[in-house]
Amino acid sequence: MEKNILVIEDDIQLSAALCAILRHKKFNVVIAYDGNDGLRAIQEHAIDLVLCDINLPDIDGYDILKSVRNDKEHFQLPFIFLTAYAGEQNIRKGRNHGADDYITKPFDSKKLIETINARLKLNETRKEFIQEQLNKNWVNIINQNFKQEFMTPLNSLINGSFLIESSPDRINVNDFKEAINAIYVSSFRIFRNTRNLMVFSILSNKEAVNTDKGAFGNYIYFSDIVLQIIEYYNNGLIHNWDTIKSNVEFVPVKRFDSDYINIIVTELIDNGVKHDSKKQTPSVSLTAVANGGFRLFVTNNISRGLNFDTSLIKPFRKFHDDKSHNGLGLGLYICKELCLKSNLDFNIEIADEKISFVVSQESVENSEIN
């Protein structure tokens, strides 16, 4: 497959010469004549390597490189400086920002192609290594989680169904309720784990996650979704516990995808249950704020000294110790990512041995149906 090389160079004649050399070697070339155009090209094209002048009319090469290295989607992009000044101080500054190499003007075309090929090969080797490690990690994750998160609830489904089917005339009321509850809880657990793995797959493959009204074509009431999920939990998902305490205000219609909002709220409530240190249900508060915004709080007790904030949230990272609420370690990561894509603020607040998972949006323009 032909590689895409981005050339960021304000000298038109030099850009044309670079383009001719690279195309002769079967590279696809994208040209940008200033830094802003270069940064846009990185976002709009599948760039495999950047050749960048340092002295540009708007943004210098160092700032472009810094922006690329701070971009989680492109931080490993091979980046080579083109410069007439390759002194030790300049090279050190570029290396400190993450430059892969330097090509000095005027350059030798053979050396240029050799350098590009070497950096592309190194990047491919790095990608293969990372993929190999991911494949190994997936095997470990499946081995560690599959029995707990899929086989155990499936076993409960089979046993509950067998009890009801094998002795419908002799089963007493309490046993019947217990069997139904086991089926309900186990079914929801499998559904939730499967859904989280599907969403994680979408997020991992960088597919478009539609979070606005275009996803399903309808507006939704945020408060209705929150009340519906609270009802799910109160009807048996927190069996033999107190019902969830809630204060849910009507929130104006939002332009959000209802499925993704359902996932966010479900995972926050579930984590409010998991992280409780006193076997109490969480409290849920949804309040409307000015200009169509809202604040959602899921609050419960937390063990003293637990180190917990949004920067620590990673895929398959678990924070609670209770194995009866083990989980895949995906819920909070998915919440964090979906909130980011929905332009929602996601925070974790800990004070006085209480933890609050907070999702908010302070202002929404044109959020109501006219």
Side-chain angles (χ1 to χ4, degrees):
M1 182 182 295
E2 293 183 351
K3 298 295 185 179
N4 297 323
I5 308 296
L6 171 62
V7 176
I8 308 176
E9 171 60 68
D10 62 325
D11 186 311
I12 296 177
Q13 290 183 335
L14 182 56
S15 294
L18 284 166
C19 185
I21 293 169
L22 294 170
R23 285 176 177 163
H24 177 69
K25 294 297 181 178
K26 307 303 181 183
F27 291 113
N28 294 322
V29 184
V30 178
I31 295 179
Y33 295 106
D34 59 45
N36 283 313
D37 284 346
L39 289 173
R40 276 193 293 270
I42 291 171
Q43 298 298 327
E44 294 172 2
H45 301 275
I47 301 299
D48 295 295
L49 183 143
V50 178
L51 288 173
C52 182
D53 188 15
I54 292 178
N55 297 314
L56 293 165
D58 53 351
I59 307 172
D60 71 24
Y62 298 118
D63 286 335
I64 296 171
L65 175 58
K66 184 178 179 181
S67 179
V68 170
R69 293 296 180 248
N70 288 332
D71 183 344
K72 66 180 182 180
E73 291 189 11
H74 302 100
F75 72 96
Q76 292 185 321
L77 187 63
F79 199 103
I80 299 173
F81 274 130
L82 294 168
T83 178
Y85 308 99
E88 181 180 349
Q89 184 176 355
N90 301 91
I91 292 175
R92 186 183 302 114
K93 184 176 180 180
R95 296 293 191 196
N96 289 341
H97 283 78
D100 293 288
D101 216 327
Y102 275 78
I103 297 292
T104 305
K105 303 176 188 176
F107 55 83
D108 178 86
S109 59
K110 181 180 179 181
K111 181 181 177 181
L112 171 70
I113 297 302
E114 287 176 351
T115 302
I116 290 173
N117 285 331
R119 290 301 167 184
L120 288 172
K121 183 177 180 180
L122 180 63
N123 196 49
E124 287 301 316
T125 301
R126 182 167 51 204
K127 287 180 179 179
E128 290 173 2
F129 174 78
I130 291 172
Q131 187 60 51
E132 182 180 335
Q133 295 303 307
L134 287 173
N135 291 339
K136 290 180 180 178
N137 288 339
W138 269 108
V139 172
N140 292 333
I141 288 165
I142 290 172
N143 289 338
Q144 293 170 9
N145 291 286
F146 197 82
K147 181 177 180 181
Q148 178 76 15
E149 297 306 316
F150 290 94
M151 298 304 291
T152 298
L154 279 171
N155 190 55
S156 295
L157 281 172
I158 293 169
N159 289 339
S161 301
F162 177 77
L163 178 64
I164 294 171
E165 192 276 334
S166 62
S167 54
D169 298 327
R170 299 189 302 275
I171 189 171
N172 64 50
V173 173
N174 289 333
D175 287 342
F176 180 81
K177 288 181 178 179
E178 288 293 330
I180 292 297
N181 180 257
I183 292 171
Y184 180 59
V185 172
S186 298
S187 299
F188 186 82
R189 184 173 175 182
I190 293 171
F191 163 75
R192 178 171 158 263
N193 285 332
T194 303
R195 182 174 67 175
N196 282 355
L197 285 171
M198 291 172 64
V199 176
F200 176 68
S201 176
I202 293 172
L203 294 170
S204 298
N205 289 315
K206 301 177 183 178
E207 296 178 18
V209 179
N210 235 341
T211 53
D212 62 13
K213 67 172 184 175
F216 292 95
N218 295 313
Y219 289 82
I220 56 97
Y221 288 88
F222 200 106
S223 47
D224 286 353
I225 292 178
V226 174
L227 289 171
Q228 182 184 50
I229 295 168
I230 290 173
E231 186 177 5
Y232 288 157
Y233 277 83
N234 286 341
N235 284 343
L237 293 177
I238 43 176
H239 191 46
N240 295 326
W241 286 31
D242 293 334
T243 56
I244 292 174
K245 301 171 286 295
S246 62
N247 175 30
V248 179
E249 295 181 3
F250 170 78
V251 170
V253 176
K254 304 295 175 183
R255 296 175 180 266
F256 300 133
D257 181 302
S258 59
D259 277 6
Y260 291 124
I261 294 301
N262 188 299
I263 291 170
I264 291 170
V265 177
T266 298
E267 294 307 320
L268 294 188
I269 291 178
D270 192 79
N271 275 276
V273 172
K274 286 178 181 177
H275 292 94
D276 172 55
S277 61
K278 299 178 181 178
K279 297 299 182 184
Q280 295 177 356
T281 52
S283 62
V284 179
S285 171
L286 176 67
T287 57
V289 298
N291 300 319
F294 68 89
R295 294 183 188 132
L296 173 69
F297 287 79
V298 178
T299 304
N300 213 345
N301 306 296
I302 191 171
S303 300
R304 180 180 297 178
L306 182 61
N307 187 17
F308 201 145
D309 62 60
T310 55
S311 66
L312 298 174
I313 296 173
K314 307 291 182 185
F316 303 103
R317 173 76 183 271
K318 302 173 187 178
F319 295 93
H320 54 89
D321 297 323
D322 186 350
K323 299 305 179 183
S324 66
H325 295 301
N326 197 15
L328 292 171
L330 284 177
L332 289 177
Y333 171 76
I334 288 172
C335 281
K336 181 180 175 181
E337 292 298 306
L338 290 180
C339 284
L340 178 65
K341 292 179 181 295
S342 302
N343 295 317
L344 301 176
D345 294 319
F346 175 59
N347 292 295
I348 296 172
E349 300 175 0
I350 298 179
D352 301 325
E353 296 186 30
K354 295 279 187 180
I355 185 169
S356 292
F357 300 97
V358 186
V359 173
S360 62
Q361 189 171 65
E362 298 303 318
S363 177
V364 180
E365 296 182 0
N366 302 319
S367 60
E368 298 186 14
I369 295 177
N370 296 320

